[in-house]
């Protein structure tokens, strides 16, 4: 198996965390052609997004589908609870992350330069993102990991995106951990996990390279 991967991608990191947690031997493959929109990569993943998993010839796009597949195929150690209720709680957070929390953050990636930013776009997405942070605060467990004592797919989804949140949102006047005590406690706790430490370190190295090359686009 191979994961078509970019270390700075929070969605690819989401899958790398599962791979690290489960100790899987999956090749980390660069994007063919060096560009998500290259003709070479279009043959692999017509969606033109990272990650994509080549599972012995079965091409699986979409990070959460990949993670659910890896959980099904390699259930030990488990990253989903046993009970249907527990699994639903994890999936509520992973779906919330993908559909509601991450999009307004992503919309701000190209707005880092105050000289060139679209103030209307920034204002709308900052407002939306602040609202999503408040919602996340209410959804997180009172202690431990995102859904309680056990590390799950919800933590794998949230941790890489929080890397961007904590690094980039202060540039827009948002201090994401202020006024969100559960989020702040979770963020401190989740970073102690070896897989998360490794994944976030890889993101940090990739971000430093990109910033030296002119910023995030």
């Amino acid at each position: 198996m191979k994961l078509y991967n970019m270390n700075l991608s929070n969605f690819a990191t989401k899958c790398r965390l599962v791979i690290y947690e489960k100790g899987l031997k999956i090749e980390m493959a660069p994007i063919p052609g060096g560009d998500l929109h290259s003709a070479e990569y279009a043959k692999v993943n017509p969606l033109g997004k990272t990650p994509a998993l080549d599972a012995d010839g079965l091409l699986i796009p979409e990070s959460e589908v990949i993670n659910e597949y890896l959980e099904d195929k390699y259930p030990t150690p488990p990253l989903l609870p046993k009970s249907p209720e527990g699994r639903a709680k994890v999936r509520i957070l992973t779906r919330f992350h993908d559909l509601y929390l991450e999009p307004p953050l992503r919309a701000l990636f190209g707005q880092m330069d105050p000289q060139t930013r679209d103030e209307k776009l920034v204002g709308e997405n900052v407002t939306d993102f602040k609202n999503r942070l408040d919602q996340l605060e209410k959804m997180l467990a009172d202690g431990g990991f995102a859904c309680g004592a056990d590390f799950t797919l919800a933590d794998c989804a949230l941790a890489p995106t929080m890397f961007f949140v904590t690094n980039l949102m202060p540039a827009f006047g948002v201090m994401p951990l202020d006024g969100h005590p559960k989020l702040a406690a979770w963020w401190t706790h989740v970073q102690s996990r070896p897989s998360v430490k490794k994944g976030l370190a890889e993101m940090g190295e990739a971000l430093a390279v990109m910033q030296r090359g002119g910023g995030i686009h």
Side-chain angles (χ1 to χ4, degrees):
M1 280 198 261
K2 67 172 67 172
L3 184 77
Y4 290 97
N5 167 71
M6 296 174 71
N7 276 3
L8 186 55
S9 164
N10 49 335
F11 287 107
T13 304
K14 183 207 288 195
C15 294
R16 294 202 311 278
L17 294 188
V18 171
I19 290 167
Y20 299 156
E21 279 289 322
K22 293 180 177 293
L24 303 179
K25 293 181 179 178
I26 294 178
E27 176 190 349
M28 297 297 165
I31 303 301
D35 188 320
L36 291 172
H37 304 294
S38 71
E40 295 94 328
Y41 191 52
K43 295 175 183 176
V44 175
N45 182 7
L47 295 176
K49 294 186 176 182
T50 185
L53 180 70
D54 182 343
D56 300 320
L58 171 66
L59 195 285
I60 306 174
E62 294 299 311
S63 60
E64 202 58 32
V65 180
I66 291 169
N67 282 357
E68 292 259 358
Y69 168 78
L70 293 174
E71 176 69 10
D72 288 342
K73 192 168 182 68
Y74 305 101
T76 304
L79 293 175
L80 279 173
K82 289 183 179 179
S83 74
E85 294 76 18
R87 295 162 90 90
K89 287 179 181 178
V90 171
R91 288 169 172 145
I92 288 167
L93 272 175
T94 59
R95 183 62 62 91
F96 172 78
H97 167 269
D98 288 0
L99 296 183
Y100 302 105
L101 180 70
E102 206 271 352
L105 173 70
R106 182 163 296 272
L108 295 169
F109 282 0
Q111 305 294 322
M112 297 302 298
D113 187 350
Q115 306 275 324
T116 59
R117 69 177 48 156
D118 179 334
E119 294 296 345
K120 182 174 184 292
L121 183 150
V122 168
E124 290 172 351
N125 283 282
V126 165
T127 298
D128 187 6
F129 188 75
K130 285 180 176 178
N131 182 43
R132 301 306 180 187
L133 279 181
D134 291 343
Q135 292 170 344
L136 178 60
E137 175 73 11
K138 295 174 183 176
M139 297 166 74
L140 288 170
D142 287 325
F145 293 109
C147 290
D150 296 324
F151 185 86
T152 69
L153 295 182
D155 299 285
C156 295
L158 290 167
T161 292
M162 277 301 297
F163 170 87
F164 281 132
V165 172
T166 54
N167 277 283
L168 304 183
M169 289 310 292
F172 299 99
V174 178
M175 306 308 290
L177 303 181
D178 290 356
H180 299 111
K182 287 200 294 184
L183 180 61
W186 166 80
W187 182 230
T188 297
H189 184 57
V190 80
Q191 289 181 86
S192 68
R193 191 84 173 181
S195 62
V196 175
K197 276 186 179 179
K198 182 177 181 180
L200 297 188
E202 291 166 343
M203 291 184 77
E205 291 168 8
L207 179 60
V209 169
M210 178 167 278
Q211 288 174 330
R212 287 197 295 270
I216 289 183
H217 303 287

